[in-house]
Amino acid sequence: MTEIVPVSGPELVTYADELAALLVETVDGGSSVGFLAPLDRGAAACWWRERAGSVEAGKHQVWIARDGERIAGTIGLARAPLPNARHRAEVAKLMVRPSARGQGLGRRLLDAAERSAAEDGVTLMVLDTESGSPAERLYRSAGWTECGSVPDYAADPAGVLKPTTFYYKAVGRDGAGSVQAVNPSTSL
């Protein structure tokens, strides 16, 4: 059974090499997650280590999915930094190893991020993904709403400009559909 767990800043440093391998594998597989191929594993590990401070400060959250001793997937959540946006968070870097795809792991990672965001008072989540990518099926099936596309928004791993589709999802609502109050004093 694959276990999904949040990681602290120091743990992120510990897992940086494994997460780098996942990131390189994801980019090499053609998924658009912000990097161009070929991605150097050392540079990928450095990128993960650089996130540790913001995770420790509560600006970002990262979860890993462990399948035995191996990381099978990850997801990140970036908290909005400005006072008028503290009700909002952005999903970032949802990645699942190709060998673990099609087994519901991406959905479980997304659910973990959504649940945590709602528990922290977030009421709106946003994300973007390459238009036409397999990830769009996951987001739609998980109740995310498409809100538009921008042509040539980001380059795919091969450097070709592709359109990006943006999605949102309301979370943290009570059973009656009302938005729960957001505590403005909560540190993000």
Side-chain angles (χ1 to χ4, degrees):
M1 179 66 161
T2 304
E3 177 185 30
I4 297 174
V5 295
V7 295
S8 67
E11 289 171 326
L12 189 59
V13 172
T14 300
Y15 291 123
D17 289 332
E18 284 184 80
L19 286 164
L22 172 61
L23 180 55
V24 168
E25 187 175 350
T26 300
V27 171
D28 285 350
S31 294
S32 182
V33 290
F35 296 90
L36 299 175
L39 177 59
D40 176 74
R41 189 167 169 171
C46 182
W47 184 86
W48 281 108
R49 284 186 200 98
E50 288 172 351
R51 313 269 88 58
S54 63
V55 168
E56 201 59 25
K59 296 176 183 177
H60 290 88
Q61 293 172 278
V62 175
W63 291 263
I64 59 169
R66 294 202 62 83
D67 186 8
E69 291 302 313
R70 186 174 178 182
I71 293 178
T74 187
I75 190 169
L77 189 65
R79 303 302 297 266
L82 298 173
N84 73 336
R86 290 192 175 153
H87 65 287
R88 187 176 74 223
E90 181 177 358
V91 171
K93 306 290 182 273
L94 172 56
M95 295 181 276
V96 175
R97 283 197 186 282
S99 61
R101 292 181 185 158
Q103 302 169 31
L105 183 55
R107 179 65 168 266
R108 289 182 53 219
L109 283 160
L110 191 57
D111 287 347
E114 290 175 12
R115 197 169 35 258
S116 178
E119 289 169 359
D120 288 347
V122 169
T123 57
L124 180 67
M125 295 179 69
V126 295
L127 62 81
D128 66 80
T129 191
E130 183 180 312
S131 301
S133 71
E136 285 194 291
R137 282 190 307 277
L138 167 64
Y139 301 133
R140 288 185 184 124
S141 72
W144 287 72
T145 302
E146 180 181 334
C147 57
S149 295
V150 177
D152 297 339
Y153 187 79
D156 68 9
V160 177
L161 292 178
K162 300 282 184 159
T164 296
T165 302
F166 293 82
Y167 289 85
Y168 71 91
K169 185 173 185 178
V171 296
R173 297 181 180 270
D174 66 19
S178 300
V179 175
Q180 298 172 355
V182 177
N183 181 352
S185 65
T186 301
S187 173
L188 303 179

